[in-house]
Amino acid sequence: MTDAQTKLPQTDAENAPLLTGDAARLVKLTHALNDLLTQETELLRSQRPREAGQFHGEKNRLMSEYRETLNRLQINREQLGGDNSEVRNHIKSVTGTFRETLRDHARIVLRLKSVAEGLIKTVSEEATRQTQPVIGYGSSAAPNVPKTLRPTSLSLNRTI
C-alpha cells in the first residue's frame, strides 16, 4: 500500500473503504482533530486549562490543513465518487463523530467561559463598591453615594 492509498484506523477498520489522495488526508486530519479535541476537553473537565493550552498551536495547524483539504475536495468532487459511494459514506460517518466531539468541546468551553465571566463581573462589582467615593453626608447622617458609579474594568490576558 502506498502513501497515496491509506487504510485508516477506526473502530470498524475492516469496513473502511480504501481511501486515496485528499479523501484519505481529510479522514486522517479529522481523526487527529477529534483525538486532540477529546484530550483538550478532558483536561478542561478536570480543571487543567493551562495544560489544555498546549494544544493550541497543533489545533490551529490541523484546522488549517483540514480547511485546505476540504477546499481541494470541493473542487475535485470526483475523488469522492457518487452520492452514495463508500468513500462519501465513510467520510460522513467520521465527520459525524467529529461533530459530536466538537459539540461536547463547545459545551465545556462555553460553560467555563460563563464561570470566568461571572467571576470577573463579581470581582469588578466588589471593587467598584469598595472604591465608591463618599460625597458628604445626608440629612440622616448616612453617606451620600453618587447615583452613577465610576466603572472599574478588569481584564484577563490568558487565552485557552
Side-chain angles (χ1 to χ4, degrees):
M1 203 175 285
T2 66
D3 283 343
Q5 298 178 337
T6 309
K7 191 86 164 182
L8 294 164
Q10 80 169 45
T11 54
D12 59 343
E14 57 277 352
N15 295 333
L18 184 64
L19 299 172
T20 60
D22 286 331
R25 184 173 174 81
L26 181 70
V27 172
K28 197 176 282 187
L29 288 168
T30 304
H31 281 296
L33 276 167
N34 193 39
D35 293 344
L36 191 131
L37 284 178
T38 300
Q39 290 175 357
E40 188 175 311
T41 301
E42 288 307 313
L43 287 171
L44 291 174
R45 275 198 180 113
S46 61
Q47 299 175 359
R48 299 185 306 192
R50 287 190 181 160
E51 291 176 40
Q54 71 185 343
F55 298 119
H56 188 68
E58 179 68 6
K59 185 170 50 173
N60 282 340
R61 184 188 67 76
L62 288 172
M63 286 188 311
S64 176
E65 287 183 43
Y66 181 89
R67 201 173 308 117
E68 289 171 15
T69 305
L70 196 56
N71 287 339
R72 281 195 306 271
L73 273 174
Q74 287 176 342
I75 292 169
N76 302 315
R77 292 176 188 255
E78 69 277 355
Q79 290 183 29
L80 300 176
D83 286 345
N84 289 322
S85 71
E86 280 186 53
V87 173
R88 278 187 192 265
N89 290 335
H90 181 69
I91 289 174
K92 285 178 186 176
S93 170
V94 170
T95 303
T97 303
F98 180 55
R99 284 184 179 160
E100 285 299 316
T101 302
L102 276 173
R103 273 189 225 118
D104 190 36
H105 184 72
R107 273 193 296 272
I108 191 81
V109 168
L110 289 174
R111 192 175 307 139
L112 291 173
K113 179 181 177 234
S114 174
V115 168
E117 286 174 347
L119 286 171
I120 290 170
K121 182 179 179 206
T122 302
V123 168
S124 177
E125 287 171 353
E126 182 62 21
T128 300
R129 189 185 65 75
Q130 289 182 4
T131 59
Q132 289 178 8
V134 175
I135 304 175
Y137 292 91
S139 60
S140 63
N144 282 337
V145 178
K147 303 261 188 249
T148 58
L149 299 176
R150 187 181 66 210
T152 302
S153 63
L154 298 174
S155 66
L156 292 178
N157 271 346
R158 297 214 42 105
T159 302
I160 296 178

